[in-house]
Amino acid sequence: MARAGILYSHVAKAAAQLTAAGKNATVDTVREALGGTGSKSTIAPMLKQWKAQHEGEVAAAGAGVPADLLEAIKGVYDRVQVGAQVQVEQLRIEHQLAAHKVAQAAEALREEVRQLGIEREALKAELHSVMAAFAREQAARHQDAVAIAALESEKAGQAQRLADRTAEVRELADQLAQARRQFEHFQEASAAQRQDDKHAYETRIARAEQEAATLRANFQDGREALAVLRSEKAQLEHTLHEQRDAAREQARKLYEATEGLTATRELASSRQFELEMVVERLEHAHQANERLEARVSELEGENADLKKKPAAASPKTRKTKT
């Protein structure tokens, strides 16, 4: 058992003395230097602690180096340690600079990634905008198709109304021809019966005047129908002008997106041709009405002549009867 009272200072002193003498400090040599006292289990941890604190001295003693040389070696070792620390510090600074550069590069990379994300979002927004514009173009084309169908329907209705007006004008012409035949028959009958019955003659004159009034009424109806046709012609021209302007505007907007406007231009050209045909028919109807007016004027002149003839023939008739 170890003697009570052995302290670390005793072990440290003995180890230092052994080391200064160039001997290796072991548990046995230290115990021997202490006079053979102390257990190895007590000395061993204290000696280990001292060796940890004096590694250079222990190493020199183990190599059999003298004390003065050991001091010189310790000075060189200290200078090497200082130089090593300086190098370590320089390496640490360089490492920090490199880490800072890496951090900057990482930050630049993150910024680039963020910019790419922004560009990606912008491209997505542009794609949505293009898709929305395409949808609007499709809707506009659908509206154009609906408008064209409505114009086709309106065109068919106008053509039907024009046909109805043409039939009415033809009917008026037939009525005028019939009236002319009736008037001619009336003239023949008046010539045959002028000497026999003055009252019958006056009755026929009244009938002729009534028929002339009917003709005038029919002629007035024809004029009104012609006015309606002219109004419809003006409306057709106005509608065609608006449609042509709308088609040109649509052609300007959709020229690069679709080739469907070619059909619209052809439709406008077809409508122009149809309008020209309508104008030509209206001109024919106008000429027919002018001929009707001339004929009515002739009939009115003949009626006036017929009215004068009985007045001139009356004295002769009275003289013959006397």
Side-chain angles (χ1 to χ4, degrees), residues 22 57-65:
E57 298 176 4
V58 174
V65 180

Side-chain angles (χ1 to χ4, degrees), residues 257-271:
T258 180
E259 296 179 359
L261 290 179
T262 303
T264 305
R265 294 193 187 97
E266 293 177 356
L267 179 61
S269 178
S270 175
R271 288 181 179 167

Side-chain angles (χ1 to χ4, degrees), residues 239-249 268 272 275:
T239 302
L240 179 62
H241 181 69
E242 290 181 347
Q243 292 171 357
R244 186 178 298 166
D245 292 340
R248 286 176 180 172
E249 182 65 17
Q272 178 66 27
L275 180 59

Side-chain angles (χ1 to χ4, degrees), residues 112-134:
E112 184 177 359
V113 170
R114 189 179 68 82
Q115 291 295 332
L116 289 175
I118 293 173
E119 292 178 1
R120 177 174 174 269
E121 293 299 326
L123 289 175
K124 286 175 65 178
E126 185 177 357
L127 177 61
H128 289 313
S129 177
V130 170
M131 292 178 65
F134 180 70

Side-chain angles (χ1 to χ4, degrees), residues 1-4 6-19 23-48 50-51:
M1 242 177 115
R3 177 174 62 86
I6 295 178
L7 302 176
Y8 173 75
S9 60
H10 300 152
V11 175
K13 182 178 179 182
Q17 291 175 353
L18 290 172
T19 301
K23 297 180 180 180
N24 188 14
T26 62
V27 175
D28 292 334
T29 57
V30 169
R31 186 171 182 275
E32 182 179 353
L34 292 175
T37 61
S39 66
K40 294 182 179 180
S41 59
T42 302
I43 296 171
M46 296 180 182
L47 180 61
K48 184 176 181 181
W50 182 85
K51 285 183 176 181

Side-chain angles (χ1 to χ4, degrees), residues 87-315:
Q87 291 180 355
V88 169
E89 183 66 21
Q90 290 178 350
L91 290 175
R92 185 182 64 79
I93 294 173
E94 292 177 358
H95 175 71
Q96 288 178 351
L97 291 175
H100 181 66
K101 291 181 180 179
V102 170
Q104 288 180 343
E107 182 63 26
L109 182 60
R110 285 193 292 269
E111 179 64 21
E112 184 177 359
V113 170
R114 189 179 68 82
Q115 291 295 332
L116 289 175
I118 293 173
E119 292 178 1
R120 177 174 174 269
E121 293 299 326
L123 289 175
K124 286 175 65 178
E126 185 177 357
L127 177 61
H128 289 313
S129 177
V130 170
M131 292 178 65
F134 180 70
R136 289 195 298 271
E137 290 293 338
Q138 284 187 332
R141 291 183 63 185
H142 178 69
Q143 291 178 357
D144 291 339
V146 173
I148 289 172
L151 290 174
E152 288 289 345
S153 177
E154 183 179 358
K155 171 191 166 186
Q158 291 173 352
Q160 183 62 41
R161 289 194 295 272
L162 181 61
D164 294 340
R165 298 298 182 273
T166 304
E168 291 178 2
V169 171
R170 189 180 296 111
E171 184 178 357
L172 288 173
D174 293 340
Q175 291 178 2
L176 181 60
Q178 183 179 1
R180 185 185 301 163
R181 290 192 297 270
Q182 290 176 356
F183 188 73
E184 291 175 355
H185 177 70
F186 170 74
Q187 283 182 329
E188 294 174 358
S190 296
Q193 296 180 5
R194 190 179 294 117
Q195 299 297 330
D196 298 332
D197 194 355
K198 179 181 178 181
H199 179 69
Y201 179 77
E202 291 176 352
T203 303
R204 287 180 187 136
I205 289 296
R207 186 182 303 167
E209 290 178 349
Q210 184 177 2
E211 289 178 356
T214 301
L215 288 175
R216 291 190 190 94
N218 291 335
F219 176 72
Q220 184 64 28
D221 293 340
R223 279 185 173 180
E224 293 176 355
L226 181 60
V228 172
L229 288 175
R230 286 174 177 170
S231 176
E232 290 181 353
K233 174 190 171 230
Q235 292 178 359
L236 285 173
E237 289 177 346
H238 180 68
T239 302
L240 179 62
H241 181 69
E242 290 181 347
Q243 292 171 357
R244 186 178 298 166
D245 292 340
R248 286 176 180 172
E249 182 65 17
Q250 290 296 327
R252 185 183 66 81
K253 291 180 179 178
L254 302 179
Y255 177 76
E256 295 179 355
T258 180
E259 296 179 359
L261 290 179
T262 303
T264 305
R265 294 193 187 97
E266 293 177 356
L267 179 61
S269 178
S270 175
R271 288 181 179 167
Q272 178 66 27
F273 176 75
E274 291 173 358
L275 180 59
E276 291 175 357
M277 294 296 294
V278 170
V279 171
E280 184 178 356
R281 291 176 182 173
L282 288 174
E283 290 177 355
H284 290 167
H286 182 65
Q287 292 174 0
N289 285 333
E290 289 179 351
R291 289 194 294 270
L292 288 174
E293 290 177 359
R295 185 55 184 165
V296 169
S297 298
E298 292 176 1
L299 291 174
E300 289 176 352
E302 291 176 0
N303 284 335
D305 293 337
L306 289 174
K307 288 179 179 179
K308 292 177 182 179
K309 287 180 180 180
S314 294

